[in-house]
Amino acid sequence: MSVIEDLFGVGGKSVVITGGSRGIGEAIAETFVRAGARVYICARRAAEVEKTAARLSAFGTCRGIPADLSTEAGRDAFIAALQQHESQLDVLINNAGTIWAAPLAEYPEDGWDKVFDLNVKGLFFFIRDLVPMLKAAGRHGAPARVINVGSIDAFHVPKHETFAYSSSKAAVHQLSAHLAYRLAPEHITVNVIAPGLFPSKMLAGTLESKGEEALTAPIPLKRLTGASDMAGAAIYLASMAGAYVTGAVIPVDGGFATTL
């Protein structure tokens, strides 16, 4: 086995990726599948989950398990289905998330609740309920991993009126640090990847109205966050290279929020 494989290999690991049917989640899932991991992707829309899982299965092992992780019933159903295939879990990547934008005077309570129910509440209870499977996989020197996808909007004030989203991602960053402290004795690390502007469905409208050149102008590295940027950060945190890192937030934003 090569030095690179020793450090960054994830072959044979069991990996759950929420929000894995498209965007950042799909990009990360494809990299893990190609690297030899057994990957389980989750999202609400069954057709999208099945389509992505079928595509990724051409490169290795990928199973789709549709579920709404903002609800207790959805989380329970996913875990029950996962346990039909795995007795332990090496890596949990919480990427599922939603956004709501509205003027302050018109910001709806149900919009706020929708964002927090998935981005924070659902994430917390999903981790809580998967701790037994993560504990079964983790050991001293080779812990199980939880990787939460946060946002650079937790570092700075976004120009858009996405009050619940930025607040929820700040909560994810703090919650991750708290869980990192609590779960370290169980041989489980908890870290955050905070992406910058990624060309996902969330950004599509802004990209169309403003154009890529205008969006990338204030970014020091002058481009959007790419699929390989997010997948590379996830591979680092999931592999032996990242085994001694916990409670960290890694910005992957080309310096946009971190150098201002």
Side-chain angles (χ1 to χ4, degrees):
M1 185 178 289
S2 70
V3 173
I4 296 300
E5 183 64 24
D6 283 343
L7 277 175
F8 296 102
V10 293
K13 287 183 179 288
S14 53
V15 181
V16 165
I17 303 173
T18 72
S21 65
R22 65 186 183 196
I24 288 172
E26 181 179 6
I28 293 174
E30 179 167 341
T31 297
F32 274 83
V33 172
R34 287 179 178 272
R38 300 187 305 281
V39 176
Y40 301 84
I41 62 170
C42 175
R44 286 179 301 150
R45 295 179 176 86
E48 290 186 10
V49 172
E50 291 163 6
K51 180 179 178 181
T52 300
R55 184 182 75 80
L56 297 185
S57 291
F59 311 123
T61 301
C62 183
R63 291 186 173 91
I65 304 175
D68 180 357
L69 299 181
S70 68
T71 70
E72 182 179 6
R75 295 188 294 271
D76 288 347
F78 178 90
I79 293 171
L82 176 65
Q83 289 174 334
Q84 297 298 310
H85 303 282
E86 303 287 344
S87 60
Q88 60 186 41
L89 180 61
D90 295 299
V91 183
L92 168 60
I93 301 176
N94 288 302
N95 168 70
T98 191
I99 194 168
W100 195 292
L104 178 60
E106 302 168 14
Y107 209 92
E109 188 170 345
D110 60 348
W112 180 278
D113 290 344
K114 178 181 178 181
V115 172
F116 266 77
D117 281 351
L118 179 58
N119 294 11
V120 184
K121 179 182 174 182
L123 176 144
F124 172 76
F125 286 105
F126 197 50
I127 294 171
R128 183 200 68 175
D129 293 345
L130 281 170
V131 162
M133 292 185 72
L134 290 162
K135 282 177 63 176
R139 63 185 188 277
H140 184 67
R145 320 299 167 89
V146 175
I147 303 169
N148 295 325
V149 175
S151 174
I152 60 167
D153 282 1
F155 300 148
H156 71 148
V157 177
K159 294 179 181 178
H160 299 292
E161 293 188 288
T162 52
F163 303 106
Y165 179 78
S166 58
S167 300
S168 73
K169 290 303 184 179
V172 166
H173 291 198
Q174 177 64 15
L175 176 60
S176 299
H178 198 164
L179 288 170
Y181 177 78
R182 170 61 181 80
L183 293 175
E186 312 288 358
H187 308 306
I188 301 169
T189 66
V190 184
N191 292 291
V192 176
I193 302 172
L197 297 174
F198 185 90
S200 64
K201 185 179 180 181
M202 284 187 185
L203 193 66
T206 306
L207 263 175
E208 185 176 347
S209 62
K210 294 188 175 181
E212 186 171 333
E213 186 174 346
L215 285 181
T216 57
I219 300 174
L221 292 181
K222 302 301 179 189
R223 66 175 176 85
L224 299 174
T225 304
S228 62
D229 302 317
M230 292 301 298
I235 287 286
Y236 164 65
L237 289 173
S239 64
M240 283 304 298
Y244 199 51
V245 178
T246 197
V249 178
I250 300 179
V252 184
D253 73 336
F256 177 58
T258 52
T259 64
L260 296 178

